[in-house]
Amino acid sequence: MAPVMLAPSPITPTVDFERDGVQHGFLRLPYSRDDSAWGSVMIPITVVRSGTGPTALLTGANHGDEYEGAVALFDLAQTLTADQVAGRVIIVPAMNYPAFQAGTRTSPIDKGNLNRSFPGRPDGTVTQKIADYFTRELLPLADLVMDIHSGGKTLDFVPFAAAHILPDKDQEARCFAAVAAFAAPYSMRMLEIDAVGMYDTAAEEQGKTFVTTELGGGGTGRAETIAIAKRGVRNVLRHAGILADAPPADGQPAEASRWLDMPSADCFRFAEDSGLIEACVDLGQPVRAGDLLARIHPIGRTGLAPSEYRAALDGILAARHFPGLVKAGDCIAVVGTVEH
Ligand code: CA
């Protein structure tokens, strides 16, 4: 098969990835529209480089309504100095910047879900162009890739860092070592229910050490989960040998993290009814197979029995639907099994 010849990316970085020091700039993506004929989407980026060492690529707000990563990375970009670094740190606090500006999961420009748009297209929509730039320009620069997610407006999670089971066991071991270094309260061996088009997959297919997270949700960030993100990012940079500073006094030791597993699709519960959700278990609480996770009350009239949703296996409640009303098809609960 002849190689597919792709056009160059239309995105221009205003930073030089090979230059030492701290640079704050943009990925400039031309976007011609009614209110700006020759306008651009300006995605903030920081590059901190010094000496020789590995490259870390750090991203937040891949989904625009997830805030722990954005807060931790805007903060890191503003505070990290070149003399703290051996190697290179590329920081993009708000990867899907149009979605982040709008406070929505997907882009208001093209409805693009960036984490379902990989590997992307240089001649596609704005969201596909961002994906393509990461696939062909930024990922190849990186050794370590960390993408900080949370639940967004519709999900809430116990705070965990995660990696995937991979065919390359050496790569998988590198990924789980980085997850352990992140030292979130929970660490997850993750099963993806919808892996096609994910940034994770693009990074893993290039052989990168890849860490993702789910650190909370509900369309906001909490003091606790933001602190976990800020600490975790530095922990992983230290683990990679890029940061040489001492861990903070409040640094959480890796052994404090509880390992969770998502062994099968039985972990997930999806609503088959629409209505008013009654949570029967809170995040982090233990459940046994058969335990009631939630009930959904019909809201059209009184006098109707709620439908019941039960755990299929033993574990803890690792994720839940956040808004009080649900629609058929919504993911309402995820049970993670606890590794002993
Ligand atoms: Ca997400």
Side-chain angles (χ1 to χ4, degrees):
M1 202 169 79
V4 179
M5 294 302 291
L6 292 171
S9 172
I11 292 179
T12 308
T14 69
V15 291
D16 177 352
F17 294 103
E18 305 306 324
R19 193 202 299 167
D20 276 352
V22 178
Q23 300 170 75
H24 304 291
F26 300 93
L27 303 174
R28 192 177 68 78
L29 194 175
Y31 171 45
S32 177
R33 58 197 191 270
D34 288 345
D35 70 345
S36 189
W38 287 7
S40 299
V41 172
M42 303 290 277
I43 304 169
I45 184 170
T46 291
V47 181
V48 181
R49 186 177 184 277
S50 178
T52 51
T55 292
L57 174 59
L58 311 178
T59 48
N62 178 332
H63 292 129
D65 60 350
E66 302 176 6
Y67 295 99
E68 281 81 358
V71 173
L73 295 182
F74 272 112
D75 183 73
L76 183 73
Q78 191 253 317
T79 53
L80 191 62
T81 58
D83 61 4
Q84 295 172 327
V85 167
R88 180 168 52 180
V89 184
I90 302 171
I91 306 167
V92 183
M95 194 181 184
N96 193 347
Y97 195 65
F100 176 71
Q101 283 181 298
T104 52
R105 180 172 179 83
T106 62
S107 175
I109 296 173
D110 52 29
K111 290 293 167 196
N113 180 340
L114 181 56
N115 217 28
R116 303 292 182 275
S117 300
F118 281 81
R121 296 175 62 99
D123 57 353
T125 64
V126 164
T127 306
Q128 289 169 333
K129 287 171 179 169
I130 296 171
D132 171 70
Y133 187 79
F134 273 82
T135 300
R136 291 194 297 150
E137 301 293 338
L138 293 184
L139 282 176
L141 299 177
D143 303 288
L144 168 77
V145 181
M146 182 160 33
D147 189 32
I148 305 175
H149 285 253
S150 302
K153 286 176 177 164
T154 67
L155 291 171
D156 198 9
F157 286 86
V158 295
F160 64 82
H164 298 110
I165 304 296
L166 296 173
D168 178 338
K169 292 303 164 189
D170 171 66
Q171 182 187 11
E172 180 188 292
R174 281 189 276 122
C175 295
F176 282 116
V179 168
F182 191 101
Y186 295 89
S187 301
M188 177 77 85
R189 292 178 206 282
M190 211 169 184
L191 174 75
E192 288 301 340
I193 54 173
D194 186 17
V196 175
M198 289 178 69
Y199 180 50
D200 312 42
T201 309
E204 287 159 358
E205 284 179 349
Q206 292 188 30
K208 308 304 178 184
T209 300
F210 182 80
V211 181
T212 187
T213 70
E214 298 290 356
L215 295 178
T220 189
R222 303 194 308 274
E224 179 201 2
T225 51
I226 287 168
I228 291 165
K230 290 168 82 168
R231 198 166 55 221
V233 166
R234 287 181 176 270
N235 284 345
V236 173
L237 290 176
R238 216 173 278 122
H239 166 77
I242 297 172
L243 264 190
D245 66 333
D250 66 344
Q252 196 165 356
E255 53 271 22
S257 190
R258 293 178 74 192
W259 282 86
L260 302 175
D261 210 340
M262 286 157 74
S264 75
D266 286 343
C267 296
F268 299 87
R269 279 289 167 265
F270 295 93
E272 296 180 0
D273 311 271
S274 299
L276 171 67
I277 191 162
E278 175 187 345
C280 301
V281 180
D282 283 322
L283 286 178
Q285 286 189 336
V287 296
R288 303 295 299 269
D291 282 357
L292 198 54
L293 296 170
R295 307 202 296 171
I296 298 177
H297 295 268
I299 56 171
R301 58 186 300 155
T302 55
L304 299 176
S307 51
E308 296 186 339
Y309 292 83
R310 294 178 181 277
L313 27 71
D314 297 351
I316 65 153
L317 187 68
R320 50 158 285 184
H321 185 78
F322 190 77
L325 296 180
V326 297
K327 301 175 299 301
D330 287 348
C331 180
I332 54 174
V334 181
V335 173
T337 61
V338 180
E339 289 189 12
H340 295 288

